[in-house]
């Protein structure tokens, strides 16, 4: 589904990603772990198509198509979703209105009619129950005055509404208390299917207790230095990142 | 491709005036220049009674002694008042009895604007008094209104048919000598609308007027007078667009509202006059005096969406004379390219327990300057007066300006006055967030702007709100797609 080949990317001439290669297939969950400054968030921004980042070498292929020429919204229309580490506020625009716009714009791009109101309502009801979201919450301005946990839960709610093929969750666990973490993880697990894939970007192993990844990749200084199964995350939790850094040096 | 600050700026700059067309209708226009003879000629042309002629002349004499004000935060080349024609009327023999008799080209103009009379006539609940180049050419729904005793007609007609009402109230809220532009208007006003709601009557429909400026080089001097008698209610809509023009066009309107005891007037405006080209050339100069008087327990609510004009100078105000009276001002002002707006309100608290609310939303883009100027004045006998003001500014790009000039004068220590102000900028992060959810930049800007303006848009009557929303999008979006 997603194939990242020797990706080099940076901002304002400074290289941050220095040759990344990952392949994600439908039905899989991948975790990308790494210390601060290793390039985790840059990777998610580059996949989503944030303009300020420049790809200097390599490419990203999604469903057999090179993403390079596609705008962020076109990537979204193809089914790429990014749960933001720091979701932005849009005053005066309700969560419901925002979702309605996002869904209908995506449908328009796919040549479909707008979603009928009754269907939209049913979907909102279903997904808000899944994520234990109060209906009142949906009429509030997007992210305005939301707590850290509410913002993250709202991101996952949007993911549930948009039903992406590929979801990238950037530090979704940060700012969540244990109950919220459980709800969010439960939501992600329930939305999992053989047709979609999830990439979890995280600093800590905590989230991986709830969402068990098929693969774990360690990102250090813009490169994937180690890949393995779920057990790798536990090893990192015990030994920290220094162990890998040393291993890398000794290699 | 995705959004950058640079691209947003470019997009905003390439926006063209959608309603830029010109209707070629034969018209009857006075030579340029202004003197007492011209004022008398206008009055004669309109077959006015002598008291009206003298009222105009008095205003003209006052105007001659006045100086054009310079305190507003706008810069422009002052109009040459001797180089303007003060009267222009579409040529016509008789008033039209039906739409079939109206010049097809005029109907075509309305079609282009998406406000065809035909369509509007069908829109239940909306009666329109169309003012085009100063003379009313069509009035609809008059009969339905007449059954309730409501008078809704052109001011020229009112001067002839209801002189006692006009004589009593004209200039009672905005005196002839109130200010430079009001004096000019009083001297030369060509036409406008008149509305009277009798005691205890609730006007069953939204009263609507579309103003247009059509003839090259003619100033537009509209005069509107709305009187809501005791215990009555009316919602009045005023909307306008103008054809594209190279030279500046002057518009100096006066609107007077009178809400007698227990009456309520809701006055909504959508203003979309030609804002000038993206190089700052041309555009309408809009110098308007709008003021309402509230008697005991009365309420006046001004709602405005201002997207047009090169220069806007406009402060819809409320004089809260009666005890317990209420004044409201809800405004969205959008400026783009080289537009300049200096707009706001005045809330004058004279009576006891008077209350006012001001919600102002300014949106600036391009190289425009957008100023809010508002006065809240509490006089010494206005016990327990209350005001709440909120002024929010939204900036797009780095070359525009937002300014807030609040003036507060409280002469009674029981007054409660609150003022809040915020300034924000549409950020790349907000746009990217929307893009990531599948919403393109153009739509994202519309969404953010609508969200920002929501409190005011919600105050507009339904069909007007939709139009206003569209206008906001047109005014700010690029010509993408």
């Amino acid at each position: 589904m997603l194939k990242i080949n020797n990706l080099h990317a940076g901002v304002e001439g400074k290289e941050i990603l220095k040759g990344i290669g990952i392949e994600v297939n439908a039905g899989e969950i991948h975790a990308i772990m790494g210390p601060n400054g290793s390039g985790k968030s840059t990777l998610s921004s580059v996949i989503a198509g944030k303009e300020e980042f420049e790809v200097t070498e390599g490419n990203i292929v999604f469903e057999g198509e090179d993403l390079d020429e596609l705008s962020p919204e076109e990537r979204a229309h193809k089914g790429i979703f990014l749960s933001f580490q720091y979701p932005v506020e849009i005053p005066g625009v309700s969560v419901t209105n925002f979702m309605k716009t996002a869904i209908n714009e995506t449908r328009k791009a796919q040549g479909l009619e707008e979603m009928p109101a009754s269907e939209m309502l049913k979907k909102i009801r279903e997904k808000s129950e899944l994520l234990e979201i109060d209906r009142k919450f949906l009429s509030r301005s997007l992210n305005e005055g939301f707590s850290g946990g509410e913002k993250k839960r709202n991101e996952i709610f949007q993911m549930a509404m948009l039903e992406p093929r590929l979801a990238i969750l950037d530090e979704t666990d940060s700012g969540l208390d244990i109950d919220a973490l459980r709800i969010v993880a439960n939501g992600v697990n329930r939305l999992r299917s053989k047709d979609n894939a999830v990439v979890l970007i995280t600093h800590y192993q905590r989230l991986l207790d709830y969402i068990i990844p098929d693969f774990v990749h360690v990102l250090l200084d813009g490169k994937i230095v180690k890949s393995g199964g779920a057990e790798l995350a536990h090893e990192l939790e015990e030994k920290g990142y220094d162990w890998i850094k040393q291993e890398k040096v000794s290699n | 491709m995705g959004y950058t600050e640079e691209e947003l700026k470019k997009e905003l700059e390439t926006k063209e005036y959608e309603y830029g067309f010109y209707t070629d209708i034969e018209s009857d226009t006075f030579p340029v220049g202004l003197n007492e003879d011209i004022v008398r000629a206008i009055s004669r042309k309109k077959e006015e009674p002598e008291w009206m002629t003298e009222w105009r002349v008095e205003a003209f004499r006052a105007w001659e002694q006045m100086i054009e004000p310079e305190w507003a935060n706008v810069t422009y080349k002052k109009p040459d008042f001797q180089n303007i024609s003060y009267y222009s009327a579409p040529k016509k023999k008789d008033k039209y009895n039906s739409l079939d008799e109206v010049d097809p080209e005029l109907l075509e103009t309305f079609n282009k604007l998406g406000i065809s009379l035909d369509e509007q006539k069908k829109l239940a609940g909306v009666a329109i008094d169309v003012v085009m180049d100063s003379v009313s050419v069509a009035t609809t729904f008059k009969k339905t209104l007449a059954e309730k005793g409501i008078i809704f007609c052109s001011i020229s007609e009112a001067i002839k048919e209801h002189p006692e009402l006009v004589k009593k109230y004209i200039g009672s809220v905005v005196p002839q000598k109130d200010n430079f532009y009001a004096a000019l208007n009083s001297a030369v006003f060509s036409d406008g609308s008149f509305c009277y709601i009798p005691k205890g009557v609730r006007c069953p429909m939204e009263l609507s007027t579309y103003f247009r400026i059509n003839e090259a080089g003619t100033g537009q001097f509209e005069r509107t007078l709305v009187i809501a008698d005791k215990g009555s209610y009316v919602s009045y809509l005023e909307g306008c667009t103008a054809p594209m023009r190279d030279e500046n066009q002057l518009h100096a309107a006066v609107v007077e509202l009178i809400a007698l005891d227990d009456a309520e007037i809701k006055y909504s405006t959508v203003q979309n006059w030609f804002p000038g080209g993206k190089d700052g050339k041309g555009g309408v100069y809009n110098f308007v005096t709008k003021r309402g008087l509230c008697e005991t327990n009365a309420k006046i609510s001004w709602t405005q969406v201002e997207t047009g004009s090169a220069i806007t100078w406009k402060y819809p105000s409320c004089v809260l004379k009666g005890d317990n009276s209420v004044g409201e001002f809800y405004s969205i002002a959008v400026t783009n390219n080289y537009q300049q707006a200096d707009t706001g309100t005045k809330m004058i608290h004279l009576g006891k327990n008077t209350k006012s609310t001001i919600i102002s939303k300014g949106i600036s883009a391009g190289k425009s300057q957008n100023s809010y100027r508002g006065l809240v004045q509490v006089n010494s006998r206005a016990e327990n007066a209350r005001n709440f003001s909120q002024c929010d500014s939204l900036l797009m790009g780095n070359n525009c300006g937002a300014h807030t000039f609040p003036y507060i004068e409280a002469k009674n220590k029981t007054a409660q006055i609150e003022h809040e102000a915020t300034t924000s900028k549409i950020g790349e992060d907000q746009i990217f967030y929307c893009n990531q959810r599948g919403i393109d930049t153009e739509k994202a800007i519309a969404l953010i702007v609508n969200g920002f303006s929501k409190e005011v848009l919600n105050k507009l009557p339904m069909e007007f709100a939709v139009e206003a929303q569209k206008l906001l999008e047109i005014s700010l979006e690029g010509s993408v797609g």
Side-chain angles (χ1 to χ4, degrees):
Chain A
M1 178 187 279
L2 178 74
K3 218 170 164 183
I4 301 175
N5 304 306
N6 186 33
L7 183 69
H8 290 253
V11 62
E12 287 165 1
K14 185 176 169 257
E15 191 169 65
I16 299 170
L17 303 181
K18 301 167 181 172
I20 287 187
I22 298 177
E23 186 167 353
V24 179
N25 295 307
E28 293 176 352
I29 294 185
H30 288 242
I32 296 174
M33 301 182 71
N36 289 334
S38 57
K40 298 193 300 294
S41 286
T42 300
L43 179 60
S44 63
S45 296
V46 171
I47 298 172
K50 195 166 186 181
E51 190 89 345
E52 65 189 78
F53 294 98
E54 201 192 339
V55 174
T56 48
E57 207 183 323
N59 65 355
I60 305 169
V61 179
F62 181 69
E63 308 274 30
E65 187 177 3
D66 192 331
L67 292 183
D68 193 46
E69 288 302 315
L70 298 185
S71 67
E73 61 270 25
E74 286 168 326
R75 297 178 196 210
H77 298 155
K78 295 205 176 295
I80 295 176
F81 178 88
L82 172 62
S83 167
F84 284 72
Q85 186 179 1
Y86 304 108
V88 301
E89 296 179 3
I90 307 187
V93 178
S94 69
V95 175
T96 306
N97 186 18
F98 185 69
M99 271 298 71
K100 192 180 96 184
T101 309
I103 287 174
N104 284 333
E105 286 296 300
T106 300
R107 288 174 70 102
K108 199 166 84 188
Q110 293 163 345
L112 298 170
E113 294 281 305
E114 290 198 348
M115 186 181 277
S118 58
E119 197 182 321
M120 186 83 73
L121 200 68
K122 188 168 158 261
K123 196 165 180 170
I124 287 173
R125 200 173 293 145
E126 187 187 309
K127 304 300 183 186
S128 57
E129 271 167 26
L130 175 70
L131 290 158
E132 300 178 34
I133 286 171
D134 189 338
R135 294 289 289 281
K136 264 185 242 151
F137 178 85
L138 301 173
S139 64
R140 285 170 61 187
S141 286
L142 189 72
N143 292 319
E144 198 183 31
F146 286 18
S147 69
E150 283 173 329
K151 283 184 185 173
K152 295 301 171 71
R153 207 186 295 186
N154 182 31
E155 292 291 289
I156 303 304
F157 169 69
Q158 292 183 34
M159 178 184 109
M161 289 294 293
L162 291 164
E163 299 176 329
R165 304 247 17 234
L166 173 71
I168 304 158
L169 311 188
D170 190 2
E171 305 271 4
T172 297
D173 50 338
S174 67
L176 289 183
D177 63 32
I178 197 76
D179 290 331
L181 187 68
R182 187 184 48 76
I183 293 165
V184 163
N186 184 36
V188 173
N189 286 327
R190 299 258 309 263
L191 294 166
R192 195 181 169 176
S193 81
K194 64 176 179 12
D195 298 319
N196 59 31
V198 178
V199 175
L200 303 167
I201 291 180
T202 181
H203 189 122
Y204 301 105
Q205 175 265 340
R206 199 168 72 132
L207 180 66
L208 307 182
D209 284 341
Y210 297 91
I211 306 172
I212 313 293
D214 300 301
F215 301 94
V216 173
H217 310 276
V218 180
L219 188 62
L220 266 185
D221 192 25
K223 280 182 187 161
I224 303 286
V225 293
K226 200 172 177 70
S227 295
E231 73 289 345
L232 180 57
H234 291 282
E235 213 171 336
L236 281 170
E237 184 75 0
E238 270 171 44
K239 301 183 186 169
Y241 289 106
D242 287 344
W243 152 68
I244 293 186
K245 278 184 201 162
Q246 277 158 17
E247 197 180 79
K248 193 181 153 197
V249 171
S250 59
N251 281 353
Chain B
M1 289 307 290
Y3 157 88
T4 61
E5 191 84 355
E6 208 50 48
E7 279 172 342
L8 169 62
K9 261 186 275 169
K10 229 184 287 161
E11 272 174 12
L12 289 166
E13 281 159 10
T14 53
K15 178 239 147 188
E16 300 291 343
Y17 187 71
E18 265 217 346
Y19 298 143
F21 50 83
Y22 173 72
T23 309
D24 189 16
I25 296 175
E26 263 190 282
S27 66
D28 170 6
T29 302
F30 271 27
V32 299
L34 184 58
N35 53 46
E36 206 172 302
D37 291 340
I38 291 277
V39 174
R40 287 183 188 280
I42 292 169
S43 193
R44 198 161 47 238
K45 188 104 193 160
K46 304 180 73 59
E47 299 162 358
E48 288 175 354
E50 200 182 330
W51 61 266
M52 197 69 244
T53 312
E54 291 313 312
W55 194 83
R56 286 177 180 271
V57 169
E58 209 178 293
F60 173 74
R61 288 179 185 154
W63 178 75
E64 276 190 308
Q65 307 301 317
M66 294 170 102
I67 301 163
E68 209 176 339
E70 286 177 346
W71 44 262
N73 187 27
V74 293
T75 49
Y76 59 95
K77 193 173 162 285
K78 284 184 184 170
D80 178 355
F81 293 97
Q82 294 305 335
N83 198 26
I84 292 170
S85 164
Y86 288 85
Y87 185 81
S88 163
K91 270 190 185 156
K92 60 183 173 64
K93 288 170 193 107
D94 292 304
K95 286 261 178 188
Y96 308 108
N97 294 318
S98 79
L99 281 179
D100 304 340
E101 298 169 33
V102 177
D103 189 330
E105 204 170 337
L106 174 62
L107 293 180
E108 182 54 36
T109 302
F110 288 123
N111 280 327
K112 278 189 221 166
L113 288 167
I115 53 154
S116 82
L117 281 176
D118 235 285
E119 197 177 272
Q120 292 289 349
K121 270 180 124 175
K122 284 179 209 150
L123 261 179
V126 181
I128 310 157
D129 178 32
V130 182
V131 178
M132 181 156 170
D133 263 9
S134 319
V135 172
S136 294
V137 289
T139 303
T140 51
F141 282 89
K142 224 166 170 174
K143 270 190 188 157
T144 325
L145 296 173
E147 280 164 19
K148 295 234 169 206
I150 295 167
I151 304 165
F152 182 40
C153 61
S154 71
I155 193 124
S156 312
E157 199 178 327
I159 289 166
K160 284 181 206 139
E161 307 291 328
H162 310 281
E164 69 297 340
L165 283 172
V166 178
K167 204 171 173 179
K168 182 171 176 189
Y169 290 107
I170 198 167
S172 69
V173 187
V174 180
Q176 289 138 294
K177 300 168 196 172
D178 188 79
N179 66 68
F180 183 84
Y181 304 111
L184 179 64
N185 175 287
S186 300
V188 302
F189 73 88
S190 33
D191 212 337
S193 295
F194 175 85
C195 173
Y196 171 79
I197 315 290
K199 269 179 205 161
V201 169
R202 206 182 152 81
C203 183
M205 58 184 80
E206 315 271 0
L207 298 182
S208 169
T209 309
Y210 284 91
F211 291 99
R212 303 262 286 117
I213 299 178
N214 199 52
E215 186 69 14
T218 59
Q220 183 97 357
F221 303 94
E222 300 292 343
R223 186 96 196 178
T224 302
L225 182 56
V226 179
I227 303 149
D229 211 328
K230 289 178 183 174
S232 67
Y233 167 84
V234 63
S235 170
Y236 192 94
L237 316 179
E238 168 202 58
C240 35
T241 70
M244 191 176 283
R245 195 58 42 79
D246 267 336
E247 69 204 271
N248 292 303
Q249 288 181 300
L250 175 66
H251 182 98
V254 171
V255 176
E256 291 178 281
L257 309 184
I258 294 113
L260 298 178
D261 294 358
D262 304 302
E264 181 176 349
I265 301 174
K266 204 172 141 62
Y267 195 101
S268 312
T269 307
V270 169
Q271 188 266 115
N272 182 31
W273 280 324
F274 180 48
K278 60 186 171 185
D279 52 357
K281 209 175 158 220
V284 169
Y285 286 3
N286 194 20
F287 304 112
V288 185
T289 306
K290 288 184 166 179
R291 196 175 302 152
L293 178 76
C294 286
E295 295 288 355
T296 306
N297 298 323
K299 179 176 173 183
I300 287 178
S301 204
W302 297 100
T303 305
Q304 58 170 20
V305 177
E306 302 275 318
T307 62
S309 299
I311 311 284
T312 301
W313 182 99
K314 181 180 175 186
Y315 316 90
S317 307
C318 296
V319 180
L320 304 172
K321 182 178 162 217
D323 293 349
N324 312 313
S325 58
V326 176
E328 292 175 339
F329 174 75
Y330 303 102
S331 167
I332 301 168
V334 179
T335 53
N336 195 357
N337 297 317
Y338 287 87
Q339 279 177 278
Q340 301 174 68
D342 193 306
T343 184
T345 184
K346 286 191 271 185
M347 292 293 175
I348 312 295
H349 293 254
L350 300 176
K352 296 185 178 71
N353 306 314
T354 45
K355 229 169 86 180
S356 63
T357 305
I358 299 169
I359 310 279
S360 162
K361 304 276 181 178
I363 301 163
S364 340
K367 292 181 174 157
S368 68
Q369 297 295 328
N370 202 326
S371 303
Y372 166 80
R373 187 182 303 276
L375 168 69
V376 176
Q377 192 183 68
V378 177
N379 283 48
S380 54
R381 64 169 283 272
E383 294 286 324
N384 299 316
R386 277 159 60 194
N387 162 266
F388 173 76
S389 303
Q390 186 187 324
C391 304
D392 298 325
S393 307
L394 187 67
L395 298 167
M396 302 170 92
N398 296 321
N399 299 320
C400 54
H403 316 270
T404 305
F405 303 99
Y407 303 83
I408 295 169
E409 294 168 14
K411 289 175 188 149
N412 186 308
K413 62 180 190 306
T414 62
Q416 279 182 46
I417 297 168
E418 285 175 75
H419 181 92
E420 287 177 13
T422 66
T423 302
S424 53
K425 202 176 152 186
I426 292 191
E428 286 185 38
D429 285 345
Q430 277 177 317
I431 303 277
F432 178 64
Y433 188 86
C434 294
N435 290 162
Q436 211 299 306
R437 297 300 186 252
I439 302 165
D440 66 28
T441 300
E442 195 167 6
K443 190 89 188 169
I445 291 172
L447 195 69
I448 294 165
V449 166
N450 275 323
F452 174 78
S453 316
K454 196 173 156 194
E455 286 158 282
V456 176
L457 289 173
N458 284 347
K459 297 289 173 188
L460 287 171
M462 189 56 188
E463 59 271 59
F464 231 32
V466 174
E467 194 175 317
Q469 225 166 39
K470 236 190 287 171
L471 209 53
L472 287 182
E473 292 180 23
I474 292 168
S475 304
L476 288 166
E477 281 171 7
S479 43
V480 175

